[in-house]
Amino acid sequence: MNDPKQRRQPPSPPLLRRGTDEPLPERRLLRAGPVTAVLENGDLRYLRLGGEEIVRRVYGAVRDEHWGTLAPRFTRYEVAAEGRAFSVRFTAEHVQGEIDFVWDGTFVGTAEGVVTCTFDGEARRPFRRNRIGWCLLHPMAVAGVPANAETPDGEVEGAFPEPIAPHQPFFDLIALRHLTRGGGEVEIRFEGDLFEMEDQRNWTDASFKTYSTPLRLPYPVAVAAGERVRQTVTIRTRPGATLGEAPAGAPRPSIEVGSEPLGPLPPIGFGAASRDGALPERERELLAELRPAHSRVVLELDGEDWAGRLEAAAADAGAIGAALEIEAVTDEAGSGLAQLCRRLAGAATPVARLLVFGRAGAVTTEAIAGRARRAADEAGLAVPLGGGSRAYFTQLNRAELPLHLLDVVAYAINPQVHAFDDASLIETLEAQGVTVESARAIARGRPLAVGPVTLRPRFNPDATGPEPKPAPGELPPSVDPRQSSLFAAGWTVGSLRSLASAGVAVLTYYETTGWRGLIERSDHPLRVSAFHSAPGWAFPVYHVFADLAEMPGADLLPVQTNEPLAVAGLALRSGDALRVLVASFLDQETTVRLAVPALTGGTIRLLDESSYLQAAESPREFRRRAPALLDLARGEAEVNLPPFAVATIDGRLAASGPTSG
């Protein structure tokens, strides 16, 4: 282990919880007659009509020519809330690189249930943009609900899509009207620009987004100094006949574990580390304890030294007991595919699958798949050949895949294409499983390989030009400082539950070591203060996968929670042994009701800010320490979770409970 004298001062609780010392944004509950809303950082979130969510979020966006979203800085912020009405007025600046834009925003809610949002902004110098103005998110729960759209050409009848729509379901919106499931009515009117809607589940956002500036118009657009943007969004509501007032507060979080197994937990692998040199011995030993199914290496076959990268990845995979999964990126001519297949055919390390993608568009074309199939046949390489999208599900949803040439369909996932705050990342967990449902229809019976699942995009497939390099001291755009946090561990619990429950064949997460990994590198000191870690630390996400590795061959059990934005759960059963992971997304202590009817007794181990350092510096010692007894009564327990903690609960199921299938 590293010299303790070289360790930094003990980190602050916020760093351990969320990877940053910056506090969570303040939230304030507002009421406009029968409508409640949460005000957060210049956004209105979770608008509910009598407790039923009707709008997920309203926010002003400034997006640069690479579709990057610039965070606002507020220079004025005034809130007046009285009884059943409210008024919010603020000024926001977006300044980064060439962009300098300022706008005044207002949210006004009346006792009649009307919420009016105004945006009035000005460019203070010339720059290029892809979008500026209001974005309104409709909750994913409205999927399938009929809606009437008002356009310049008249009324259009339609519905919020149920399977994920590859293209916009509504265009040129002036207004949108629909009923709620509780019998209420919602009308949303847009002024100042034409709006259209996209299905954000394509990027695992749990919403449909209505935004200004239709995508059919050319972009990026040159903005002149002094140019103004003015928009208004008005939300009118009418409660249903039996709709009461919204509940005063959120219910206590609860997690219920079902008894009918969903099937075995799918094989899980990890991305190969993005670094030079072999894995050090300590990292190899710790990673081997995770029983990784594979190690995924990215080979850019039209670039230089991919053969050296393959050799190093094969050595690391062999050292941790994993097969290789190849993500081969090439041009339409299939450069390097023949050489790659010959090398793989003679490799000592087993190859789990070969996934091939085009550099242009990040998808698998028929030309590339055909060349890969011929190269594999000529080399005598008998491994599953797969393809799809190495970027987002949306590319898979829009592609014409050569399914007749593919054994496996693959796509990657990350939660930060459109939003970057903790709450938005948590919201994406619900949508990840929905992408699997739609992908299954696309794959037509072929197994789904989902991954890598990462916190940040590995690259930007939509960039219109080279992206600027990070300034000294800044993290690369593919690195999230939350990777080393308790938040990341809890988010991973929710992601595993969502994807595994939906029935994927194989999963890939993160990387083995480094800023995007499970363990911090031990062969060099910390280089950037924006990323909180110390050499050799096992991050909290490591322990999530260690918990799974200790249950080899386990079946997944269904888990339901009443508050998915507050807690997540994952349940595994092997014989009469049960393991449940419960994660908190709250920055405060909370008590979770855990219901497992057949559970007869159990223990609990907490990964929280008090155990973080031991778990990071001495992961084996942390995992060997004696757990506390769990107080059970009639199959229920009260689980007290510190902020952003992950609890590992072990117990035995009664003989009358579920039996191994």
Side-chain angles (χ1 to χ4, degrees):
M1 190 60 203
N2 305 290
D3 183 354
K5 295 179 181 178
Q6 295 183 1
R7 294 180 195 150
R8 298 182 297 165
Q9 291 296 315
S12 67
L15 274 176
L16 300 181
R17 297 174 186 176
R18 302 172 43 251
T20 176
D21 272 324
E22 293 200 9
L24 281 167
E26 180 183 356
R27 286 186 167 185
R28 182 165 179 176
L29 183 66
L30 304 176
R31 184 179 292 275
V35 175
T36 60
V38 174
L39 176 67
E40 177 185 291
N41 251 8
D43 299 354
L44 275 189
R45 305 184 81 137
Y46 313 123
L47 279 73
R48 290 180 166 87
L49 179 61
E52 181 179 358
E53 187 177 9
I54 56 171
V55 171
R56 173 138 290 189
R57 188 180 179 195
V58 184
Y59 64 99
V62 176
R63 305 197 70 181
D64 66 20
E65 60 182 309
H66 305 296
W67 290 109
T69 303
L70 278 67
R73 183 179 74 89
F74 297 101
T75 59
R76 177 177 65 105
Y77 207 93
E78 303 166 357
V79 182
E82 191 171 329
R84 297 168 60 83
F86 65 83
S87 172
V88 180
R89 304 181 187 279
F90 57 86
T91 300
E93 294 181 329
H94 302 256
V95 181
Q96 181 178 306
E98 296 181 350
I99 295 180
D100 190 341
F101 187 85
V102 61
W103 60 287
D104 293 322
T106 67
F107 297 124
V108 176
T110 71
E112 291 73 34
V114 178
V115 177
T116 304
C117 317
T118 63
F119 183 111
D120 187 355
E122 179 181 5
R124 295 192 289 206
R125 63 170 178 247
F127 59 86
R128 289 159 65 84
R129 59 85 176 166
N130 283 353
R131 178 177 299 147
I132 296 178
W134 284 127
C135 293
L136 183 144
L137 306 186
H138 312 264
M140 192 171 70
V142 300
V145 171
N148 288 338
E150 182 181 332
T151 75
D153 297 322
E155 292 275 339
V156 176
E157 292 186 359
F160 292 94
E162 288 191 277
I164 300 176
H167 303 291
Q168 285 78 358
F170 292 105
F171 295 91
D172 295 347
L173 287 169
I174 296 173
L176 187 71
R177 289 178 288 275
H178 66 88
L179 299 177
T180 71
R181 297 191 186 277
E185 294 182 8
V186 178
E187 179 191 77
I188 306 171
R189 187 162 292 276
F190 308 95
E191 301 174 66
D193 201 343
L194 285 179
F195 284 68
E196 68 185 21
M197 182 189 295
E198 68 185 9
D199 192 337
Q200 285 209 127
R201 298 174 299 173
N202 277 293
W203 299 272
T204 70
D205 299 72
S207 58
F208 303 90
K209 178 169 70 176
T210 300
Y211 54 88
S212 61
T213 315
L215 286 175
R216 70 173 183 275
L217 301 179
Y219 60 85
V221 174
V223 178
E227 186 172 335
R228 302 196 69 85
V229 177
R230 295 186 177 95
Q231 296 176 358
T232 301
V233 173
T234 305
I235 304 166
R236 298 181 182 275
T237 64
R238 186 181 67 78
T242 61
L243 198 63
E245 289 290 322
R252 183 181 62 163
S254 71
I255 287 179
E256 297 186 359
V257 178
S259 60
E260 291 297 324
L262 300 172
L265 188 71
I268 298 172
F270 307 106
S274 302
R275 51 106 187 90
D276 297 322
L279 285 169
E281 181 179 359
R282 177 177 177 274
E283 278 90 314
R284 291 200 306 267
E285 292 176 351
L286 288 174
L287 290 166
E289 292 172 10
L290 301 183
R291 303 174 186 261
H294 60 268
S295 177
R296 180 167 181 161
V297 58
V298 179
L299 302 178
E300 298 186 353
L301 300 183
D302 53 351
E304 297 180 0
D305 197 31
W306 62 262
R309 172 86 171 136
L310 172 61
E311 183 178 352
D316 283 349
I320 64 176
L324 272 176
E325 181 178 84
I326 310 297
E327 179 182 325
V329 184
T330 186
D331 52 29
E332 282 295 290
S335 299
L337 283 172
Q339 298 94 313
L340 171 63
C341 288
R342 287 195 294 269
R343 284 180 175 271
L344 295 179
T349 304
V351 179
R353 63 199 60 85
L354 169 61
L355 309 175
V356 294
F357 305 95
R359 179 173 297 283
V363 298
T364 306
T365 64
E366 182 156 3
I368 290 172
R371 290 182 170 89
R373 180 66 73 183
R374 288 192 294 274
D377 290 344
E378 291 170 1
L381 178 65
V383 300
L385 177 67
S389 167
R390 64 185 297 256
Y392 313 135
F393 172 79
T394 185
Q395 277 83 8
L396 180 77
N397 206 16
R398 295 172 179 173
E400 294 184 8
L401 289 183
L403 288 174
H404 61 290
L405 296 170
L406 301 178
D407 305 310
V408 179
V409 171
Y411 63 99
I413 279 179
N414 84 84
Q416 295 190 72
V417 178
H418 298 116
F420 319 102
D421 59 286
D422 292 356
S424 294
L425 267 65
I426 296 164
E427 291 170 8
T428 66
L429 297 173
E430 185 182 5
Q432 289 184 16
V434 177
T435 68
V436 175
E437 295 170 11
S438 288
R440 189 178 293 113
I442 294 170
R444 298 178 190 171
R446 289 158 184 80
L448 296 175
V450 177
V453 180
T454 56
L455 287 184
R456 293 280 294 159
R458 296 184 296 161
F459 61 96
N460 183 357
D462 301 316
T464 56
E467 295 187 68
K469 293 184 178 180
E474 290 186 355
L475 293 172
S478 61
V479 174
D480 191 311
R482 287 170 287 201
Q483 184 75 30
S484 63
S485 71
L486 293 166
F487 174 90
W491 187 88
T492 303
V493 169
S495 173
L496 284 162
R497 186 213 63 81
S498 185
L499 292 171
S501 299
V504 301
V506 61
L507 287 166
T508 305
Y509 278 84
Y510 309 127
E511 294 182 1
T512 51
T513 64
W515 287 342
R516 292 176 284 270
L518 313 179
I519 305 171
E520 179 59 285
R521 292 176 58 179
S522 61
D523 55 355
H524 66 83
L526 180 69
R527 300 187 304 272
V528 176
S529 60
F531 191 91
H532 171 66
S533 68
W537 271 12
F539 298 149
V541 291
Y542 172 89
H543 292 283
V544 172
F545 294 108
D547 282 343
L548 305 187
E550 291 173 353
M551 298 280 286
D555 282 329
L556 192 73
L557 294 179
V559 170
Q560 295 291 332
T561 177
N562 65 334
E563 288 289 304
L565 301 183
V567 294
L570 175 69
L572 299 173
R573 185 212 66 190
S574 180
D576 66 346
L578 177 76
R579 172 162 285 181
V580 182
L581 304 186
V582 180
S584 170
F585 299 130
L586 301 176
D587 200 32
Q588 62 195 38
E589 286 200 22
T590 188
T591 299
V592 179
R593 171 185 165 267
L594 175 65
V596 190
L599 193 62
T600 59
T603 61
I604 180 170
R605 183 186 67 231
L606 286 177
L607 177 56
D608 60 9
E609 59 199 61
S610 68
S611 59
Y612 182 107
L613 287 181
Q614 183 190 37
E617 297 172 349
S618 306
R620 292 189 179 102
E621 181 180 324
F622 166 74
R623 302 194 63 77
R624 284 195 300 263
R625 73 181 194 176
L629 291 176
L630 184 68
D631 188 14
L632 274 168
R634 296 183 298 279
E636 292 192 7
E638 301 285 311
V639 181
N640 296 314
L641 293 179
F644 291 100
V646 177
T648 303
I649 296 163
D650 289 305
R652 295 286 171 184
L653 296 168
S656 59
T659 58
S660 177

